[in-house]
Amino acid sequence: MRDQFTSDGIALERAIAFALHQAYQRLRTVTYREFREQGLDITPEQWIVLVRLWARDAQTPSELSEATLRDRPTMTRILDSMERSGLLVREPAPEDGRGRVVRLTSVGRGLRGPLTKVAKRLVQRLEDGIPEKDLVTTQRTLQRILENLT
């Protein structure tokens, strides 16, 4: 793994960062396809917002940006799309009417079961054939990589 740099450049196929990127892109593509095949018109980015709101409804766009690792303009586009689809609403913040909070609609809450069912199947597929100890090591290693980059 530490031999990704060659005398004349970079061997991407040996780079952890590129492998992470490939895994992310593939998972994003498969997730979107699996949701669509179940008649669920949700992007992986919207899925993450829904998961955060299922855990705690009525968050500010800034809180959602931080919790989903998205910048504010990207989060605004995601929320705009989700609001047009009837998954959530943005309302004045109770403590300060100038701010906004994001709340799930009944439609957004109702997707929890169907989307979670698809996600569980995807996780089973993702982990298939990988021993638990390897999954634990992978999680620990990824956490350390994140810490190293903070």
Side-chain angles (χ1 to χ4, degrees):
M1 295 266 77
R2 295 175 194 228
D3 63 346
Q4 65 184 316
F5 293 99
T6 64
S7 61
D8 61 344
I10 300 172
L12 283 179
E13 62 278 353
R14 295 191 304 246
I16 288 176
F18 188 66
L20 289 170
H21 175 72
Q22 285 180 303
Y24 166 76
Q25 291 290 39
R26 178 77 47 86
L27 181 58
R28 186 186 182 288
T29 298
V30 170
T31 299
Y32 185 68
R33 185 175 56 232
E34 292 290 323
F35 286 161
R36 294 280 302 198
E37 286 176 2
Q38 296 302 313
L40 303 164
D41 191 18
I42 300 291
T43 67
E45 294 78 16
Q46 292 170 339
W47 156 250
I48 293 169
V49 171
L50 287 170
V51 169
R52 292 300 189 187
L53 289 170
W54 292 330
R56 184 174 63 87
D57 204 3
Q59 295 186 53
T60 67
S62 293
E63 290 170 326
L64 288 168
S65 291
E66 186 175 320
T68 62
L69 307 176
R70 301 285 176 207
D71 60 35
R72 282 297 302 269
T74 300
M75 181 54 61
T76 297
R77 284 191 301 275
I78 293 168
L79 295 176
D80 286 347
S81 174
M82 293 176 76
E83 193 166 32
R84 281 192 304 273
S85 297
L87 302 174
L88 55 80
V89 293
R90 286 177 274 198
E91 303 174 340
E95 64 280 347
D96 177 7
R98 294 172 295 170
R100 293 276 184 238
V101 293
V102 178
R103 291 186 191 279
L104 288 169
T105 63
S106 59
V107 174
R109 283 189 299 276
L111 289 176
R112 186 176 190 161
L115 288 170
T116 301
K117 188 175 174 182
V118 174
K120 283 181 180 180
R121 282 197 313 268
L122 281 169
V123 169
Q124 287 172 343
R125 182 174 167 193
L126 178 89
E127 295 176 346
D128 187 42
I130 304 173
E132 180 69 18
K133 67 179 182 58
D134 290 351
L135 292 170
V136 169
T137 299
T138 300
Q139 182 69 36
R140 187 175 55 241
T141 302
L142 289 171
Q143 188 59 47
R144 180 59 190 265
I145 288 171
L146 289 171
E147 289 167 7
N148 287 347
L149 295 174
T150 303

